[in-house]
Amino acid sequence: MAKQFTDPHEVPKIEGTEGWEKMYPYYYQFSTDDKERCEYESGQLWYYDGLHYPEPHCPFDLIWDEAWYLALSQYNSRIFMVPPAKGIDHRIVNGYVYITPIGIADPKEIEARIPLFMKRAGYYYQNWDKIYDDWVKKTKLLIEELENIEFKPLPEMEDESVVFEHRGMGSGYELGVKYDQLINLGFKVWQYHFEMLNLGYAAYVTFINTANQFFPDIPMATLTKMVSGIDVVMYRPDAELIKLAKLALELKLDDDLAATTSFEALKARLETSQAGRKWLATFEEARYPWFWISTGTGWFHHDKSWNDDLDVPLASIKMHIDSLKAGKDPSRPTEKLIAERDRIVEEYLGLFSNDDDRKAFEEALNISRKVFPYVENHLFYVEHWFHSVFWNKMRELSAVLVAGGMIKDVEDIWYLNRFDIKVLIDDMVRAWATGIVPAGRNKWPAEIEWRKGVMDKFREWTPPPALGVPPEVVTEPFSIVLWGVTTDVLKKWLSGLESATGEVTQLQGSPGSSGTVEGKARVIKKVEDLAALEPGEILVAPTTSPSWAPAFTKIAGCITDVGGPMCHAAIVCREYGLPTVVGTGTGTSVIKTGDLIRIDGDSGLVELL
Amino acid sequence: MEKTVKLEERLTLWYDELKGENFPLVGKKNANLGEMLKAGIPISPGFAITIHANDLFVRESGIKDAMEKLIADECREMNEKNIARLSGFAMAAIEKASLPDYLEKQILDDYHQLCERCGVKDLPVAVRSSGAVSMPGQMETYLNIRGDRDLVDYIRKCWASSYCVEALTYRINREMGALFNIGVGIPKMVNSRVSGVIFTINPLNGDPSKISIDASYGLGEAVVSGLVTPDTYLIDKVTLDTVKFTRGSKEIECVYKPASSDIIEREVDEERRRANSLSPEELRQLCIVSKQIEKYYGKAYDIEFGIDADLEFPDNIIILQVRPESVWNKKKAEKKKSEQPTDAMSMILKQLVTGVRVK
């Protein structure tokens, strides 16, 4: 077996992408001229963050990576003083993000940080519920602030109010300010994101390991059943759709819904009747905030929310109507889930023969349950609601840039990084103010075309799972729970380096939901294509979100490219009792629709038969 | 209200009518089987012939009087010679005597009912002695008895076996008296289509939240003696999810030679080898039963089971034998007080500082 991965400085260049580095901030590059940094970089293990990023980053999309680079690290290293952990360092190679956890080796330093951590983290754990309530309030305020930012084309002439209210500043200046404000809100919401997440995960990992110590074979799915909340915000969007499906049946509008394929057409039809208007009003009410749910993970600009395409929730409502008509209620059986969770916990507690052990298990379980609403719900507020609104604000800004002649198309903005955009705005507003054409008006469209070509080449490249030198043992808790990087996984990656690349007959992911199933694969990359799904097929998707919910009553099992045991697909499939493997990395590219596959939701193995 | 005969006056009692405390009526083995049923542990269906029935038999056939006379007249001193003489007399007399008609009728009625219930004519049963006092291994048990005539013959042999030299000597040495009536159990012979062994823990690491099941075709001998690689299941005791499954090769199965209690080995065909030996509902039911056994005895248990080909699910799940698991129960008893912290903050801190691997 190979002892180490490729040195990060020696990753082969892709022909035709020379100069790609300027697409991203300089501090994301592996060093070339700083000997100390080069040595540090070569000595670390860098792993590809496929969990969050199944594809290379468009320059602008790197913003969320930048956001958590700062936020996660600072909470570990400088705020809570997590004894053995500093931050997580980030680099980019051919558009793919590699990360490495930085530990603290000196036992004395770890020792010195312990009382600080106990005091600081202890405060959060003790006041968790109150802090979480405040967290929701301030995050909603932040989103309100975001929604209030408006980008308007630069006017030919400023409004009179500038004069008569003697505002003392013009639109050219304000555009730059608003852009800064938008970016800063994005970074701020990610500061909030990690305010409680690291501690939440620490409590959860503690529970997992405590449970494993007493019950070495306890399945991950059982553990999550014990801690999972029932009233989870992430289920709310689908619950709203079920409500709308039931209302449509009640108002006898199901034929109207069935007869129309687009929401626009349906709206026109329903506006003519009282029942129709009542339904539309309920629909409108459900949209804010629940339809800000993303059809993807929310991490990429192309992850559309329901509000961006109302045909998506409409298709789901129709699927729910079909289920209801067939006598199947798609609602979550809340009471049954609570009873089952309580039974599982009680029976497990009954297995202890030693009171101390039972107490330790219960303590770990209780703290884990306390932190879990945050761990599950923050996703809706940040990755879905905030991000969905944010992407739209960026498109608003982009329209201004298109109007100003700086770029050709609204969707071109993603090929500029956040610093490029700042410079471009400065250029544009000065030209606007002066009354001449901007300096960069030819430069940027040409640059964007070139970058599009580079991105295509990045997409064809397969990033190696890791770079650099693996440690003897992986102990950093966040890499373990978030990315599943353990000593064993590293060994697998290393042995994978040596095996010849032949036909792939199996894929290894993480166990998502228990059980084994054999069946035909259906590869679906976008939620819009869900209609193709035949009952009994195994869904192979990049990832899923609550907008995929109607699929789960039809399928026999599920495989995703990204995600851990706590991802949406795994949680939903456990509820439906569907065997599931998550985080295979390459499921959607290796498996083809119609392939006969077997998945083992207990071991995480997918076999192509 | 239905007219009922008092338990004490019954000639036979079905296992499911019995409780542990009824051992003076039917003997310990029989009463225990009734108790297991009460605890939700399915055993092979059958009935007990009461001690009272044995008493009626020895009285009405005159054997009791004849024995008492023999003891009073010629065997006052219970030496080796006299014991042998008494034993020879009693056993010969019992094996020759007819059962009172009403008793024979009752036993055969019950037997026929059992045959009907299992859908098998001349159903093979076992005839097992069951004393109200434990006398380990001194009386006989006969396997694979079929048909009315054999059944009655072997019941007599079973009664007679309580007068074998060893049993008589044992009782006389303990001043329990020479005369001794016993209960007899008539359970269906388990016709195992599949059989196997269950541990109510994972025997490899002692995980108490798991049930480990090995199962293969035919009688239990193949699994117990390691003749075949069985299907192995590791089940979560609480959720009943399968945590791990390995399909065994199951090349051979042990079955009874037709009309005999001899066991023969035969090959399992390719298709059955590739199939799972247990159906999902059988697996689930076995887990439920195993949990009941563990709960009833209050510790981890080692269980032998059979899936009876003559019975319908769930009655086909039969528990053959149970005993306490030895290794992990012992370790648990020896386990020292753990030194790990039991408050949440210290646990989280320890977790962060040591950073244990997550599976």
Side-chain angles (χ1 to χ4, degrees):
Chain A
M1 197 193 290
K3 283 235 169 57
Q4 67 177 66
F5 299 99
T6 309
D7 183 276
H9 306 93
E10 284 161 17
V11 178
K13 302 262 185 262
I14 306 172
E15 214 188 303
T17 66
E18 292 81 0
W20 64 270
E21 291 86 352
K22 67 179 170 194
M23 289 161 62
Y24 309 99
Y26 73 85
Y27 46 83
Y28 263 84
Q29 313 299 333
F30 280 108
S31 310
T32 50
D33 50 5
D34 182 326
K35 196 166 165 255
E36 192 187 330
R37 269 177 74 93
C38 283
E39 269 171 21
Y40 147 73
E41 289 165 346
S42 294
Q44 286 292 119
L45 174 80
W46 300 85
Y47 51 90
Y48 162 47
D49 185 7
L51 166 68
H52 294 109
Y53 314 131
E55 53 187 291
H57 273 86
C58 273
F60 185 77
D61 292 13
L62 195 68
I63 185 164
W64 303 131
D65 191 77
E66 279 207 76
W68 77 263
Y69 184 0
L70 175 65
L72 182 145
S73 295
Q74 116 209 318
Y75 276 107
N76 270 3
S77 60
R78 314 272 176 197
I79 295 176
F80 290 120
M81 310 300 282
V82 172
K86 289 191 191 167
I88 292 182
D89 203 358
H90 293 221
R91 294 290 185 274
I92 198 159
V93 180
N94 296 334
Y96 294 85
V97 171
Y98 283 77
I99 54 181
T100 190
I102 310 296
I104 294 176
D106 179 5
K108 271 194 201 130
E109 195 182 341
I110 294 175
E111 202 57 42
R113 286 167 73 103
I114 286 175
L116 296 164
F117 173 77
M118 292 298 268
K119 191 174 168 198
R120 294 175 172 215
Y123 175 81
Y124 262 73
Y125 287 122
Q126 268 158 26
N127 299 288
W128 191 270
D129 294 341
K130 162 89 174 69
I131 295 173
Y132 176 46
D133 281 349
D134 290 347
W135 187 94
V136 172
K137 279 183 208 133
K138 72 186 180 198
T139 303
K140 281 183 175 169
L141 280 176
L142 198 71
I143 295 172
E144 212 178 293
E145 219 179 307
L146 172 70
E147 280 170 337
N148 288 334
I149 297 179
E150 265 186 291
F151 292 103
K152 279 182 267 179
L154 296 170
E156 264 308 303
M157 174 179 73
E158 291 279 11
D159 190 75
E160 288 187 342
S161 62
V162 178
V163 179
F164 298 119
E165 290 170 14
H166 34 89
R167 288 183 25 214
M169 54 187 169
S171 301
Y173 165 77
E174 276 176 332
L175 184 65
V177 170
K178 279 186 198 163
Y179 173 67
D180 288 345
Q181 199 190 344
L182 179 67
I183 299 300
N184 285 337
L185 283 176
F187 286 142
K188 191 170 181 184
V189 84
W190 275 87
Q191 294 285 302
Y192 288 177
H193 183 286
F194 280 102
E195 180 188 355
M196 307 180 82
L197 193 62
N198 297 4
L199 297 184
Y201 270 121
Y204 181 50
V205 177
T206 302
F207 171 61
I208 292 172
N209 281 320
T210 305
N212 269 310
Q213 178 193 334
F214 300 124
F215 309 114
D217 305 305
I218 193 164
M220 198 65 183
T222 304
L223 292 172
T224 49
K225 266 185 196 160
M226 288 189 199
V227 295
S228 282
I230 304 298
D231 192 18
V232 178
V233 168
M234 286 299 275
Y235 290 119
R236 189 60 194 275
D238 192 49
E240 293 293 323
L241 298 189
I242 294 167
K243 213 167 80 187
L244 284 163
K246 287 180 176 169
L247 184 65
L249 285 172
E250 201 184 301
L251 298 171
K252 302 196 168 44
L253 297 172
D254 43 318
D255 289 340
D256 295 284
L257 265 79
T260 42
T261 49
S262 79
F263 182 77
E264 276 312 306
L266 177 70
K267 195 176 166 198
R269 197 178 168 118
L270 293 187
E271 267 166 353
T272 60
S273 73
Q274 203 190 340
R277 285 193 295 274
K278 185 178 171 191
W279 190 84
L280 285 174
T282 315
F283 184 91
E284 204 55 29
E285 210 176 292
R287 287 182 61 186
Y288 305 100
W290 305 115
F291 285 19
W292 286 121
I293 193 90
S294 178
T295 55
T297 54
W299 283 83
F300 294 97
H301 68 267
H302 55 69
D303 292 337
K304 278 191 304 187
S305 77
W306 289 354
N307 273 330
D308 298 326
D309 183 356
L310 294 172
D311 295 349
V312 174
L314 179 61
S316 296
I317 291 171
K318 287 189 201 174
M319 284 168 98
H320 285 320
I321 289 177
D322 291 344
S323 293
L324 287 163
K325 278 185 168 170
K328 268 202 278 182
D329 190 344
S331 315
R332 294 175 74 237
T334 320
E335 275 171 33
K336 217 179 101 189
L337 291 170
I338 294 173
E340 175 65 0
R341 181 189 66 180
D342 292 350
R343 181 191 72 83
I344 291 174
V345 168
E346 196 181 318
E347 279 201 38
Y348 262 92
L349 287 174
L351 294 170
F352 284 97
S353 53
N354 171 320
D355 286 343
D356 279 350
D357 291 352
R358 184 184 300 114
K359 182 161 182 283
F361 180 84
E362 247 186 316
E363 279 276 316
L365 173 62
N366 289 343
I367 189 97
S368 203
R369 278 187 164 181
K370 190 193 262 292
V371 302
F372 230 65
Y374 178 78
V375 171
E376 287 185 317
N377 292 342
H378 79 274
L379 275 173
F380 179 76
Y381 293 99
V382 179
E383 277 95 328
H384 289 265
W385 188 359
F386 187 97
H387 280 200
S388 293
V389 175
F390 180 90
W391 295 125
N392 284 345
K393 291 294 168 193
M394 281 300 296
R395 287 191 174 90
E396 248 178 70
L397 168 67
S398 186
V400 174
L401 303 186
V402 172
M406 295 303 296
I407 58 175
K408 292 228 160 70
D409 188 272
V410 169
E411 297 299 315
D412 284 350
I413 196 167
W414 318 117
Y415 295 89
L416 304 169
N417 70 40
R418 67 179 174 103
F419 302 104
D420 295 336
I421 295 170
K422 180 76 184 152
V423 174
L424 190 147
I425 290 173
D426 281 347
D427 177 9
M428 185 180 78
V429 297
R430 276 164 184 77
W432 167 79
T434 318
I436 59 159
V437 292
R441 67 180 179 134
N442 293 327
K443 168 192 155 85
W444 289 114
E447 176 71 16
I448 286 167
E449 278 319 297
W450 177 78
R451 289 185 183 187
K452 283 180 179 172
V454 170
M455 285 303 297
D456 285 342
K457 294 206 169 72
F458 282 172
R459 282 188 198 101
E460 283 162 24
W461 189 65
T462 306
L467 302 169
V469 184
E472 295 276 310
V473 183
V474 178
T475 55
E476 205 283 316
F478 300 106
S479 348
I480 294 170
V481 71
L482 287 169
W483 291 277
V485 177
T486 63
T487 316
D488 289 347
V489 169
L490 289 177
K491 270 191 200 147
K492 235 180 245 174
W493 287 351
L494 281 167
S495 66
L497 285 181
E498 292 200 326
S499 68
T501 47
E503 197 182 329
V504 182
T505 56
Q506 55 183 45
L507 294 169
Q508 183 67 49
S510 303
S513 170
S514 191
T516 310
V517 71
E518 237 177 75
K520 263 205 204 153
R522 171 71 62 178
V523 182
I524 294 187
K525 295 199 174 174
K526 295 192 307 257
V527 67
E528 293 90 326
D529 303 333
L530 267 191
L533 200 63
E534 299 280 342
E537 289 182 325
I538 296 173
L539 173 65
V540 184
T543 180
T544 71
S545 82
S547 58
W548 295 63
F552 294 97
T553 49
K554 264 184 153 180
I555 57 176
C558 179
I559 304 171
T560 69
D561 290 354
V562 294
M566 283 317 302
C567 77
H568 171 260
I571 293 172
V572 176
C573 288
R574 282 193 292 274
E575 289 196 1
Y576 285 99
L578 299 170
T580 299
V581 174
V582 293
T584 59
T586 52
T588 57
S589 48
V590 172
I591 302 167
K592 304 276 170 281
T593 290
D595 284 352
L596 192 61
I597 56 175
R598 182 189 298 128
I599 65 178
D600 183 342
D602 297 301
S603 66
L605 188 71
V606 178
E607 290 168 275
L608 282 82
L609 306 171
Chain B
M1 212 174 101
E2 204 180 320
K3 194 188 151 201
T4 49
V5 180
K6 273 200 247 163
L7 278 189
E8 289 76 12
E9 291 165 13
R10 294 271 296 273
L11 305 173
T12 60
L13 281 160
W14 290 92
Y15 285 150
D16 56 15
E17 296 179 287
L18 290 170
K19 280 188 255 177
E21 66 193 35
N22 297 137
F23 73 91
L25 307 182
V26 289
K28 284 193 164 165
K29 217 181 271 171
N30 285 329
N32 276 342
L33 290 173
E35 191 65 21
M36 282 172 79
L37 274 179
K38 287 265 176 306
I41 304 167
I43 49 148
S44 190
F47 59 95
I49 300 166
T50 60
I51 294 171
H52 175 59
N54 189 352
D55 185 49
L56 289 171
F57 166 72
V58 292
R59 278 175 198 278
E60 293 181 24
S61 60
I63 293 171
K64 187 176 188 238
D65 287 345
M67 280 180 68
E68 276 170 353
K69 188 162 185 302
L70 182 67
I71 293 167
D73 296 351
E74 296 171 43
C75 305
R76 272 176 190 271
E77 191 197 341
M78 280 298 172
N79 54 26
E80 214 172 292
K81 194 180 130 223
N82 282 341
I83 286 176
R85 195 170 157 203
L86 186 61
S87 165
F89 171 81
M91 291 180 77
I94 290 171
E95 286 184 34
K96 267 196 306 226
S98 297
L99 269 62
D101 288 346
Y102 63 88
L103 176 58
E104 184 166 318
K105 181 171 180 301
Q106 180 68 55
I107 291 170
L108 293 179
D109 280 354
D110 284 4
Y111 175 59
H112 297 152
Q113 204 179 318
L114 186 63
C115 293
E116 203 173 310
R117 192 166 136 195
C118 301
V120 179
K121 193 173 173 291
D122 292 340
L123 179 76
V125 292
V127 176
R128 323 185 74 119
S129 58
S130 169
V133 178
S134 301
M135 291 185 287
Q138 295 179 358
M139 295 174 302
E140 291 293 335
T141 280
Y142 304 94
L143 301 177
N144 259 324
I145 308 303
R146 309 146 203 258
D148 295 0
R149 176 193 275 198
D150 273 11
L151 178 63
V152 176
D153 277 353
Y154 279 94
I155 290 169
R156 273 192 292 252
K157 275 188 201 288
C158 193
W159 280 334
S161 73
S162 90
Y163 294 96
C164 70
V165 171
E166 293 80 7
L168 260 179
T169 310
Y170 181 92
R171 290 203 295 274
I172 285 162
N173 285 345
R174 284 164 185 73
E175 299 183 338
M176 288 159 62
L179 268 69
F180 190 74
N181 294 317
I182 59 170
V184 179
I186 313 290
K188 173 190 189 305
M189 286 300 293
V190 179
N191 181 16
S192 297
R193 172 170 55 78
V194 173
S195 51
V197 180
I198 300 174
F199 282 88
T200 63
I201 51 164
N202 180 352
L204 302 178
N205 57 22
D207 184 339
S209 67
K210 296 295 162 299
I211 297 172
S212 159
I213 301 178
D214 286 5
S216 195
Y217 296 117
L219 299 166
E221 278 72 6
V223 178
V224 176
S225 60
L227 267 178
V228 294
T229 308
D231 291 337
T232 62
Y233 300 83
L234 192 65
I235 312 283
D236 186 291
K237 200 185 276 178
V238 176
T239 61
L240 301 189
D241 289 333
T242 302
V243 177
K244 212 163 131 195
F245 168 67
T246 314
R247 186 175 291 122
S249 46
K250 312 185 289 273
E251 292 99 336
I252 290 171
E253 64 183 332
C254 291
V255 292
Y256 285 117
K257 212 163 145 183
S260 142
S261 49
D262 292 346
I263 291 170
I264 51 167
E265 290 170 20
R266 70 175 182 207
E267 284 220 355
V268 174
D269 65 51
E270 195 62 34
E271 194 183 329
R272 287 172 72 223
R273 282 184 205 182
R274 266 183 283 135
N276 293 356
S277 52
L278 295 170
S279 71
E281 55 272 24
E282 285 164 354
L283 187 64
R284 196 181 158 80
Q285 191 62 24
L286 279 172
C287 291
I288 291 170
V289 167
S290 305
K291 281 172 75 172
Q292 273 157 345
I293 293 173
E294 186 182 63
K295 194 173 165 206
Y296 181 70
Y297 292 105
K299 54 180 152 182
Y301 254 64
D302 166 356
I303 299 158
E304 280 177 42
F305 71 92
I307 309 279
D308 195 312
D310 304 329
L311 299 168
E312 300 279 331
F313 179 82
D315 297 335
N316 61 351
I317 308 272
I318 306 289
I319 298 307
L320 304 171
Q321 198 169 349
V322 298
R323 57 189 158 253
E325 189 280 336
S326 48
V327 180
W328 294 96
N329 280 328
K330 200 168 149 231
K331 278 199 186 168
K332 208 160 84 176
E334 287 167 357
K335 195 185 162 195
K336 284 186 214 101
K337 215 169 141 40
S338 61
E339 279 168 21
Q340 75 155 32
T342 56
D343 73 283
M345 264 317 278
S346 313
M347 287 166 80
I348 290 168
L349 177 68
K350 185 167 172 246
Q351 172 65 55
L352 287 170
V353 174
T354 48
V356 190
R357 187 180 312 168
V358 178
K359 61 179 166 182

